[in-house]
Structure formats: structure tokens, C-alpha cells
Amino acid sequence: MTNMNTKVNRLITNDDLRKANELNDFYLRFDTQNCVLECREALDSLVIENTSDRIIVDQQKVCSIFSRLCTKKSTGPDGISALLLKSCAEELTVAWCPIFQQSRPGRSTEDAVNTVTYFITKHLENPKAYARLLFVDFSSAFNTVQPHRLIQKLKMFNVNSFLIKWYLSFLTNRTQQVRVNHTLSELKHISIGVPQGCVSSPILFTLYTNECSSCDHNNFIVKFSDDTAILSLLHEKNDLSVYFSVISRFAEWCDLNHLIFNIEKTEEMIFDLRSIAGEGKREYLGIYVDNTLSWGIHVDTICSCMQQRLYFLRRLRLYGVDQKIMWLFYSAVIESIVRYGITVWFGNLTIQVKSKLARLVRIAVKTIGRKEILSLESLYEQSVLREAHKIVVDPLHVLYTEYELLPSGRRYRFPMCRYNRFKKSFIPFSIKLLNDE
């Protein structure tokens, strides 16, 4: 379907120019449809009723952003260093102000995984219940976005017309070259996709796919940028036709919007605690999900990474690096992989697995030479409370309705729990902590 495995007879050559041109053609493989005319028609359909809608960005804000740039980072494709931008912040502010657009806060990957696992564990509380989760992988998702379709979707959201015109100009008729050693390929134009690495690209892709959703209350399409999962909550006597119809409609929508499935990486996982045939696993947004929801595989991965990074911590100690620097290294390189997604997986770990993880933490702290240590349980509780406080003040969050205040207005209603798997999951445990505050 993606034509990625199609064998093409290519000449083996040492000619850098030919290599560069072939690579450039490969990166342009999705630009098979000339959509310039459609983009022009979509642009003509934009009606600018009020010129006061023009985007005005405060010059002081632009100057402040330039002044906070990290000078140690490498230059971008334009070759302009951060040191130059920072040193000439005041002089460049006037010129850059019209093209600045502030980014907007959004959801995290942890929110997405918590949402999926919460619905699964809650549903498995019911007798004879099981769930099916389809992990959808797109082939070069950002590179297949059609600008003219994106414009129509932005208009549906009542996005500022000037901003739509700016994005259309940004996305169409872009130039592209590939460099092999010191040789540049031919300059080619591309009018499809959103550039990867651009701050706006994930937001644009999210808006592009926003209308793709399920109307059935037991079927959910969970999306985080280009990572998509289709969750179906089923019972033993359920007819699977509804589940397959949701997938069929999703496939039709993707075909209409030129999003291509990567069949080899699209996988399904079944969660059925009554009978588990083999152990399935899948990495979803950086967390390994297994069909038993025991999270042992994910912890094994974390422990493997920690052991590798402990080597560098020991080398720092060998070279006599200051203890504060070693602690910073530990926090940034080792503890960070423990913290990531801890609200999802830590609650349902067995004592044996927790001990395995705690042992590596103790080794790291002992290597640094510090005696005080924040236990994994305390780290988990801090993370759960922080996430819960964000959810209860955000009515737009998917899990907001799960926090129901009692008539007293001081405590939250604790959900009914039949099994420890659900009782120890994020929502019930966070409600317990909130009520104990």
C-alpha cells in the first residue's frame, strides 16, 4: 500500500550529484498530485470581513524570546546562529515581529496513554468484558497533508483569515534540496505536507485529523499528533460488526484525506483477562503496553536503559566531577526515564518489580554519594497529584468528568472497584490522594 518495499532498479554510482537527486526525488514521492489549483481556489474563497483581524504580535514579546535563546544549540537550515539572534535581539525585533506566532499549551503523551488505559481497566471491571485496541501507524503522515484540505478545515474552526493565508503561503511552493557531501541536488518545488521539525506542524496535523472521530459510545479514536489508537470496549455477546464498521469508516476517511496506512506497523491488541493466549506488547507513545496491563515489559526496558546510563554516572565519579553536576546528570538522564509515564504504570507493579527498579535507583544515588533519596512511591504520588490537579481545573480534558465532587464540595466521589487492577490505576488512586489532602 505504501510502495515502500517495491524493488526499483537503481544504478550503484559514486556520483554525489546523482545520489543527491535520487534522494531528493525519494523525499518528493508523495507530491504526485498538483494541488496548486485547489489551493488557489481555496484561497479565493477566503472572505476577509474585518481588517482588524490582522495578526499583531507585541515587539517586546519577540525581543524577550530572542533574548532567552540558548546559544549552545546548532544553527538551523538558514545558518543563523542563536548567538547572533540573541546579540541582535533589539535590532531584529521589528523585522521578525510580523512572522512570529506564539505556541499554545496542549496535552501530553501521558494524558493519551492514561486515557486509553483508564477506559480499558474500567471496562474490564464488568463481567465477560474485553477490549480491542488497534494501533494505527501512518506512512510519513506529515508529508501527506493536503494544504487545500487543511485550509477548508481551518475555515471550519474560524481561524483568522490572515493566518490561513500565511500558512498557505508557507506550505505551498516550498523549495527543497538534498546535499550529499559537498554536492547539492537540483532545486525542486513541493506543495504538499507540513515540514517536520516545525513547531506548528503537530498542531496543523491535529486540526487536519480533528473531524475523524467515532460516534459510538463504546468506540474511541484516541489521537496524539500522528499516533492514533482505536479502542473498542466489548462484551462476550457483542456483535463485532460495529467495531469493524468504525475501522472501515476510519480507513475511508484516511483514503479521502490522502493518509496512507503502514500495514506492517499497524497492530491490534486484545485485552481479555479471562483467557490470555500468549503475551502481546506494543510501544505506544514511549510506553510498552502489554495485554495483561502488568507493565513488567516496560519496567524491564526502563531497567535496561538505567543500567546503560549508570555506566556514564560511574565515569563521572571516576573523573572527580562535582556532586552537584552528577546529581543534575542523574535527574536529567536517569530519573527522567523513571518519571516518564509513571502515573500510568507504577500503580499496578508487583512488589518484586518495584524492588528491581528501586535497587537501580539506590545504586545511582550511592554512586553520586548522597544519602537522602526520594522513594519511588513518593515520586509516584507527586506525579499523580500534579496530573490530577491539572485535570480537575480543565473542563475540556477527556477525564475531567471522572472527578465528581460530593455534595459537600470538599471531596471527590470514589469509583466502585471490583479488582485491584482498576483500584490501583491512575483515576481511583488520584481521587484517594486528593481526598486525603
Side-chain angles (χ1 to χ4, degrees), residues 172-358:
T172 56
N173 205 29
R174 308 191 306 273
T175 56
Q176 177 175 297
Q177 279 182 300
V178 173
R179 183 171 66 183
V180 175
N181 296 326
H182 300 288
T183 305
L184 283 172
S185 68
E186 297 176 2
L187 191 68
K188 293 197 174 182
H189 296 267
I190 182 171
S191 296
I192 194 172
V194 289
Q196 297 197 37
C198 176
V199 175
S200 299
S201 294
I203 300 174
L204 292 175
F205 188 83
T206 300
L207 296 174
Y208 188 75
T209 59
N210 180 75
E211 65 184 12
C212 181
S213 59
S214 173
C215 300
D216 188 81
H217 67 282
N218 283 328
N219 292 275
F220 307 90
I221 299 179
V222 182
K223 294 171 291 186
F224 188 89
S225 190
D226 60 335
D227 286 282
T228 303
I230 302 177
L231 173 63
S232 290
L233 307 177
L234 305 165
H235 288 84
E236 189 178 57
K237 297 182 180 180
N238 274 143
D239 184 4
L240 292 178
S241 60
V242 177
Y243 168 63
F244 290 126
S245 66
V246 170
I247 296 178
S248 297
R249 289 196 298 269
F250 178 77
E252 291 173 1
W253 182 91
C254 290
D255 186 57
L256 181 64
N257 288 272
H258 301 273
L259 292 175
I260 305 171
F261 284 146
N262 189 335
I263 302 299
E264 293 182 357
K265 294 184 179 180
T266 298
E267 300 175 4
E268 184 185 49
M269 188 179 291
I270 298 177
F271 300 85
D272 190 348
L273 303 181
R274 299 166 301 163
S275 59
I276 300 175
E279 191 177 61
K281 67 172 182 177
R282 166 72 188 227
E283 185 181 8
Y284 178 52
L285 296 173
I287 297 177
Y288 281 94
V289 182
D290 59 85
N291 57 356
T292 63
L293 294 177
S294 61
W295 308 106
I297 298 174
H298 181 67
V299 174
D300 288 342
T301 306
I302 291 177
C303 291
S304 177
C305 290
M306 290 179 68
Q307 289 170 343
Q308 293 173 3
R309 299 178 186 192
L310 278 172
Y311 167 79
F312 298 103
L313 191 63
R314 294 189 184 101
R315 299 298 293 180
L316 290 177
R317 181 182 180 181
L318 180 64
Y319 291 129
V321 175
D322 185 75
Q323 191 181 89
K324 291 182 179 180
I325 302 298
M326 293 177 66
W327 183 256
L328 286 174
F329 177 85
Y330 165 76
S331 300
V333 179
I334 298 178
E335 188 184 272
S336 60
I337 62 176
V338 179
R339 282 183 176 272
Y340 177 67
I342 193 172
T343 61
V344 178
W345 50 265
F346 186 83
N348 276 301
L349 295 182
T350 63
I351 296 177
Q352 182 181 4
V353 175
K354 287 182 181 178
S355 300
K356 179 181 178 182
L357 198 58

Side-chain angles (χ1 to χ4, degrees), residues 106-126:
R107 304 279 184 259
S108 67
T109 54
E110 198 166 339
D111 286 310
V113 185
N114 259 328
T115 300
V116 171
T117 54
Y118 169 71
F119 284 136
I120 293 175
T121 52
K122 182 181 180 181
H123 179 67
L124 293 180
E125 291 280 289
N126 302 313

Side-chain angles (χ1 to χ4, degrees), residues 8-180:
V8 179
N9 293 325
R10 297 187 182 277
L11 295 175
I12 300 176
T13 176
N14 294 323
D15 186 354
D16 287 345
L17 179 59
R18 175 172 288 187
K19 289 180 181 178
N21 285 329
E22 285 196 0
L23 279 173
N24 203 17
D25 291 337
F26 174 77
Y27 295 138
L28 289 168
R29 68 189 184 280
F30 294 107
D31 196 6
T32 57
Q33 179 183 355
N34 190 349
C35 60
V36 175
L37 181 60
E38 289 88 345
C39 291
R40 192 171 299 161
E41 292 176 353
L43 183 61
D44 293 339
S45 66
L46 285 175
V47 178
I48 301 176
E49 298 178 352
N50 191 352
T51 55
S52 63
D53 289 339
R54 289 185 180 276
I55 304 168
I56 301 175
V57 181
D58 183 30
Q59 293 187 11
Q60 185 177 358
K61 180 67 176 178
V62 177
C63 185
S64 175
I65 293 173
F66 277 139
S67 301
R68 296 197 304 268
L69 288 176
C70 178
T71 57
K72 296 181 180 179
K73 292 187 176 180
S74 60
T75 62
D78 53 12
I80 302 175
S81 67
L83 178 61
L84 176 62
L85 295 175
K86 187 173 182 177
S87 302
C88 304
E90 294 184 4
E91 292 79 2
L92 294 173
T93 295
V94 177
W96 280 75
C97 213
I99 60 174
F100 254 77
Q101 177 68 23
Q102 300 178 39
S103 61
R104 302 170 65 180
R107 304 279 184 259
S108 67
T109 54
E110 198 166 339
D111 286 310
V113 185
N114 259 328
T115 300
V116 171
T117 54
Y118 169 71
F119 284 136
I120 293 175
T121 52
K122 182 181 180 181
H123 179 67
L124 293 180
E125 291 280 289
N126 302 313
K128 300 180 179 180
Y130 70 102
R132 301 179 76 138
L133 183 61
L134 181 68
F135 298 97
V136 179
D137 189 89
F138 295 112
S139 179
S140 300
F142 283 17
N143 294 333
T144 56
V145 171
Q146 305 289 315
H148 63 286
R149 290 189 174 276
L150 177 61
I151 289 173
Q152 298 297 336
K153 298 174 192 295
L154 293 178
K155 287 172 61 179
M156 291 171 58
F157 285 104
N158 295 320
V159 176
N160 186 298
S161 298
F162 288 99
L163 183 59
I164 295 177
K165 292 179 66 176
W166 186 91
Y167 270 124
L168 182 61
S169 175
F170 170 62
L171 295 176
T172 56
N173 205 29
R174 308 191 306 273
T175 56
Q176 177 175 297
Q177 279 182 300
V178 173
R179 183 171 66 183
V180 175

